[in-house]
Amino acid sequence: MLDYYAPAKFGPPRHVHREDDELFLIVAGSVLIWTPDEVQTAEAGDTVFLPRGKEHTWKGYGDDPIHLQVIVSPGEFECFIPKIVQQRLTAEDIAALTRVADEAGMDITGPPISDAELAEYLAAPTWNRSEGEAL
């Protein structure tokens, strides 16, 4: 389990956990969760499940910092956060993040959600791309 804090409007690159499922408990702030098939928002008190093998990312929106509790199972991911902190990597350090992510059983698949994408998604916060309509 990770107790994760991030500044407002932070978001990691798009990625896939090869072997780990993730369960997010949103403690503070508001986040937009993106997968290739669905976009949804989550706020304090909400939980979001992301199964292994599913490409995803998230981005905070609003002015409040983000606080997440993340349960990762079976747990190969625990080395990732300490290594990126130690190396002082940012979401823009894609090459270095890719190396560290590979060691943690992850594949970086694309950039973080842009501000323009965030605005578009927030205009229709929950939608299913396979059906092409807002939910």
Side-chain angles (χ1 to χ4, degrees), residues 1-46:
M1 181 172 174
L2 304 168
D3 197 28
Y4 186 81
Y5 293 85
K9 299 179 178 59
F10 173 80
R14 290 165 170 85
H15 59 279
V16 173
H17 296 266
R18 294 188 297 261
E19 301 296 327
D20 294 326
D21 296 324
E22 282 185 296
L23 180 66
F24 290 176
L25 170 59
I26 314 306
V27 178
S30 300
V31 296
L32 182 129
I33 310 284
W34 174 92
T35 71
D37 300 321
E38 184 176 12
V39 176
Q40 62 181 326
T41 58
E43 298 179 350
D46 291 339

Side-chain angles (χ1 to χ4, degrees), residues 79-94:
C79 67
F80 183 69
I81 300 295
K83 285 184 179 182
I84 64 172
V85 170
Q86 179 184 37
Q87 296 178 33
R88 298 176 190 244
L89 301 177
T90 69
E92 288 76 34
D93 297 320
I94 298 297

Side-chain angles (χ1 to χ4, degrees), residues 52-109:
R52 69 188 75 188
K54 181 76 163 181
E55 182 184 22
H56 65 277
T57 192
W58 57 270
K59 183 170 182 150
Y61 65 93
D63 297 325
D64 296 328
I66 308 304
H67 180 190
L68 307 173
Q69 291 181 335
V70 184
I71 298 171
V72 182
S73 179
E76 292 181 33
F77 177 73
E78 68 273 2
C79 67
F80 183 69
I81 300 295
K83 285 184 179 182
I84 64 172
V85 170
Q86 179 184 37
Q87 296 178 33
R88 298 176 190 244
L89 301 177
T90 69
E92 288 76 34
D93 297 320
I94 298 297
L97 282 172
T98 298
R99 286 190 300 276
V100 174
D102 184 56
E103 295 171 12
M106 291 172 32
D107 297 309
I108 304 293
T109 57

